[in-house]
């Protein structure tokens, strides 16, 4: 019922926007409508302790379908609304969310303030560096150690070789606009002294929306982020690293730590055609289960068939294992695509 209601709201909203655009040319001139879709057709083989488990077999997924509307009132004030739809062949029902809904004050390229649900400082930035989000989420997003968007206040900008973003948010992510006793803080500062050469550091601190009055948080959560990216002509490599304290132990008496890194690269060997590869390694419970380790890698070839249409033929493997009871493996091979308009 919730998804049907949301879908009806989205259809009504887009219809109203279209009617308004026809009625008022000046409104349309200051309004942009765009979208992006990630879909795949793959075969998955999942195993847990040697037994075949779901998700398994051949299927089609729409991992994400964003539709966004951006309207400028004047040189300073604008508003953005972006919906988020996804469907997985392993789920019974599609899901829909509001990913972004914010008003922005733009003073200059160095000073912008967004109020509402907007991009967080780290994950979208890392996605832009990685460039293959449609094949796989970046390290922190894939392991669920952060949110790509959240509800709150967001300040961002760029000045000279420096770029930066800071957010004070509820902490539950864009799909959960509830609140606890305080706001969470995430920030990033990056530098690009030469085009394509980027280094950045970021961090996250406080309670992850897990500090309600009735059940107070026991531990604060924190995360340190590092990124380096190098791109010249046809060659591109990069690295992302994180270290987290008590990320999954905010409301437990036990404490824990985790860290991991991601190495990625691609080489364009023909016009609009590239070979790409990635390797992730993470220790997810360094205190409570020191042997628990997540290993992930992918490799494939990507190519463009039109502006905004990118395809990838790839293989992905993930293994989560410790020395006692956990032994999970997932292999996936097929076709992925990104459609942007």
């Amino acid at each position: 019922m919730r998804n049907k209601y949301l879908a009806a709201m989205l259809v009504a909203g887009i219809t109203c926007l279209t009617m308004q655009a026809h009625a008022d040319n000046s409104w349309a001139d200051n309004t942009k409508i765009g979208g992006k879709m990630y879909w795949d057709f793959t075969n998955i083989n999942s195993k847990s302790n040697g037994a075949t488990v779901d998700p398994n077999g051949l299927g089609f997924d729409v991992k994400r379908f964003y539709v966004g509307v951006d309207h400028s009132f004047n040189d300073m004030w604008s508003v953005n609304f972006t919906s988020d739809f996804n469907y997985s062949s392993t789920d019974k029902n599609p899901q829909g969310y509001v990913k972004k809904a914010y008003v922005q004050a733009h003073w200059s390229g160095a000073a912008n303030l967004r109020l509402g649900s907007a991009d967080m400082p780290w994950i979208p930035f890392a996605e832009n560096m990685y460039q293959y989000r449609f094949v796989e989420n970046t390290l922190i997003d894939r392991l669920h150690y952060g949110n790509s968007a959240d509800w709150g206040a967001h300040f961002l900008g760029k000045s000279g070789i420096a770029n930066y973003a800071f957010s004070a948010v509820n902490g539950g992510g864009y799909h959960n606009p509830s609140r606890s006793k305080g706001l969470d803080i995430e920030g990033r500062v990056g530098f690009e002294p030469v085009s394509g050469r980027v280094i950045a550091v970021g961090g996250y601190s406080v309670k992850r929306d897990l500090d309600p009055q009735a059940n107070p948080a026991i531990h604060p959560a924190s995360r340190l982020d590092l990124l380096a990216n190098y791109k010249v002509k046809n060659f591109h490599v990069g690295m992302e690293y994180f270290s987290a304290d008590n990320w999954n132990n905010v409301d437990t008496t036990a404490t824990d730590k985790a860290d991991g890194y991601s190495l990625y690269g691609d080489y364009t060997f023909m016009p609009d055609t590239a070979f790409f590869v990635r390797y992730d390694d993470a220790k997810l419970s360094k205190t409570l289960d020191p042997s628990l380790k997540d290993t992930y890698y992918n490799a494939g070839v990507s190519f463009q068939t039109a502006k905004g249409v990118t395809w990838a033929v790839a293989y992905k493997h993930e293994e989560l294992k410790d020395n006692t009871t956990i032994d999970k493996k997932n292999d996936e091979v097929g076709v992925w695509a990104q459609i942007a308009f």
Side-chain angles (χ1 to χ4, degrees), residues 130-324:
Y130 175 48
Q131 298 181 352
Y132 285 90
R133 165 63 182 85
F134 69 101
V135 176
E136 188 61 80
N137 306 58
T138 54
L139 175 68
I140 291 171
D141 197 14
R142 184 179 69 83
L143 296 176
H144 308 295
Y145 279 81
N147 296 311
S148 59
D150 207 338
W151 297 86
H154 310 260
F155 182 82
L156 64 155
K158 182 177 181 180
S159 179
I161 65 171
N163 61 80
Y164 40 85
F166 304 93
S167 296
V169 295
N170 288 352
Y174 63 91
H175 58 282
N176 180 22
S178 61
R179 65 177 67 190
S180 58
K181 290 190 291 185
L183 294 176
D184 287 11
I185 306 297
E186 180 172 296
R188 182 202 78 243
V189 177
F191 300 93
E192 188 173 8
V194 180
S195 178
R197 284 77 153 179
V198 179
I199 57 172
V201 59
Y204 189 104
S205 180
V206 205
K207 305 293 177 59
R208 295 187 57 222
D209 192 39
L210 297 173
D211 192 26
Q213 188 68 40
N215 187 25
I218 299 174
H219 306 292
S222 63
R223 194 189 74 230
L224 170 68
D225 312 314
L226 300 173
L227 183 143
N229 193 77
Y230 179 86
K231 185 174 184 178
V232 289
K233 294 185 178 178
N234 298 337
F235 181 68
H236 171 220
V237 294
M239 179 277 294
E240 182 183 5
Y241 168 84
F242 84 95
S243 176
D245 289 346
N246 297 319
W247 193 263
N248 295 312
N249 299 84
V250 173
D251 53 1
T252 70
T253 56
T255 61
D256 209 353
K257 296 178 180 292
D259 64 16
Y261 64 87
S262 178
L263 304 174
Y264 56 85
D266 58 81
Y267 176 71
T268 303
F269 58 91
M270 293 175 58
D272 298 322
T273 305
F275 170 75
F276 63 90
V277 63
R278 171 175 159 186
Y279 177 82
D280 294 3
D281 185 282
K283 295 181 179 179
L284 304 182
S285 183
K286 299 180 71 175
T287 302
L288 300 178
D289 188 359
S291 66
L292 182 63
K293 182 178 180 180
D294 179 273
T295 303
Y296 169 90
Y297 54 82
N298 69 34
V301 175
S302 67
F303 53 95
Q304 288 188 326
T305 55
K307 183 178 180 181
V309 181
T310 305
W311 305 80
V313 179
Y315 167 74
K316 304 196 299 187
H317 172 84
E318 182 180 10
E319 181 174 354
L320 180 66
K321 186 176 182 179
D322 67 8
N323 292 338
T324 55

Side-chain angles (χ1 to χ4, degrees), residues 7-23 27 33 67 69:
M9 290 179 61
L10 294 178
V11 171
I14 293 173
T15 301
C16 291
L17 291 172
T18 303
M19 293 174 63
Q20 180 67 21
H22 285 294
W27 187 95
I33 300 176
V67 177
V69 180

